[in-house]
């Protein structure tokens, strides 16, 4: 059982998951803060929240950053081309991402761009994982090619994510990629708040058209895509997806369910 100490608990949470089959996050002392992603490669683990457990990123998008990006005209810039080379030597393909990252480097002096790791949990080649009743709060969505709030990658399989809330993921709220398989997401909510600036693309299944076929079997059941979601609810490449009794209420959405190349959907009872 873990309680928050008000400091960075990334290493404490990672060690607990590595060492114990069941980890209970007790939110009675407040939110659990993490400085960057917790990355685990484990099997047969349960992560359970009680007393309104919430894991939150330490870094977040500030009003000062949003004002500077507005002044630079970033929202109207291309997200498919026209990039450049950043002061730290990194090459960026997209105009909006290039100018966003350049602006943040200039404002913070962080040439390592450590803020881009402001996700919460990555399941890497994991198996038989249950995650229940936890709120995941990110820094706000922003177009910097950063981490997702949570991700299943590299052949992670047989996972059940239940009664969790995903809010303000930097790149996405919860993505499932890299030959991951048999993932069930039930009774979860996805949303964005005033922290989010652009790129409110909440759920991606399949990282590209090059995903290996035969994987990414995923179920979303009784989930709710709410305030601030714009697209990818989910967007899917290659996988087979069951969408059962889900609810979509975002008034800012460009689209919701988005089948892409070689994906198959069974869509039942959604509203």
């Amino acid at each position: 059982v873990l309680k928050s100490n008000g400091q960075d608990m990334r290493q404490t949470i990672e060690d607990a998951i590595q060492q114990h089959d069941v980890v209970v996050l007790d939110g009675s002392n407040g939110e659990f803060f993490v400085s960057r992603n917790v990355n685990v490669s484990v099997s047969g683990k349960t992560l359970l929240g009680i007393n309104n457990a919430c894991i939150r990123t330490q870094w977040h998008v500030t009003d000062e950053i949003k004002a500077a990006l507005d002044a630079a005209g970033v929202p109207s810039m291309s997200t498919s081309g026209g990039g450049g080379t950043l002061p730290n030597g990194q090459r960026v393909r997209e105009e909006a991402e290039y100018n966003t990252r350049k602006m943040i480097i200039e404002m913070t002096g962080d040439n390592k761009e450590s803020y881009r790791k402001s996700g919460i949990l990555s399941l890497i080649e994991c198996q038989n994982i249950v995650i229940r009743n936890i709120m995941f709060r990110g820094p706000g969505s922003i177009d910097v090619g950063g981490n997702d709030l949570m991700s299943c990658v590299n052949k992670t399989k047989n996972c059940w994510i239940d009664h969790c809330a995903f809010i303000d993921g930097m790149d996405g709220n919860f993505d499932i990629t890299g030959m991951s398989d048999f993932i069930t997401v039930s009774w979860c909510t996805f949303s964005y708040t005033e922290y989010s600036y652009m790129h409110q693309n909440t759920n991606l299944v399949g990282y590209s058209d090059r995903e290996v076929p035969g994987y990414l079997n995923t179920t979303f059941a009784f989930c709710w895509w709410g305030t601030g979601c714009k697209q990818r609810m989910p967007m899917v490449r290659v996988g087979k997806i069951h969408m059962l009794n889900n609810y979509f209420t975002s008034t800012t959405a460009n689209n919701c369910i988005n089948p892409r190349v070689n994906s198959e959907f069974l869509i039942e009872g959604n509203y």
Side-chain angles (χ1 to χ4, degrees), residues 146-166:
N147 284 4
D148 303 312
L149 265 187
M150 181 175 164
S151 58
C152 292
V153 300
N154 291 15
K155 299 184 178 180
T156 288
K157 62 181 182 178
N158 304 113
C159 295
W160 181 25
I161 315 302
D162 179 64
H163 280 87
C164 291
F166 297 87

Side-chain angles (χ1 to χ4, degrees), residues 199 201-204 225 230-235 255-256:
H199 201 270
N201 302 341
T202 179
N203 303 97
L204 176 67
W225 282 268
K230 289 195 174 179
Q231 54 189 352
R232 298 187 185 180
M233 306 179 220
M235 185 179 88
N255 55 59
C256 295

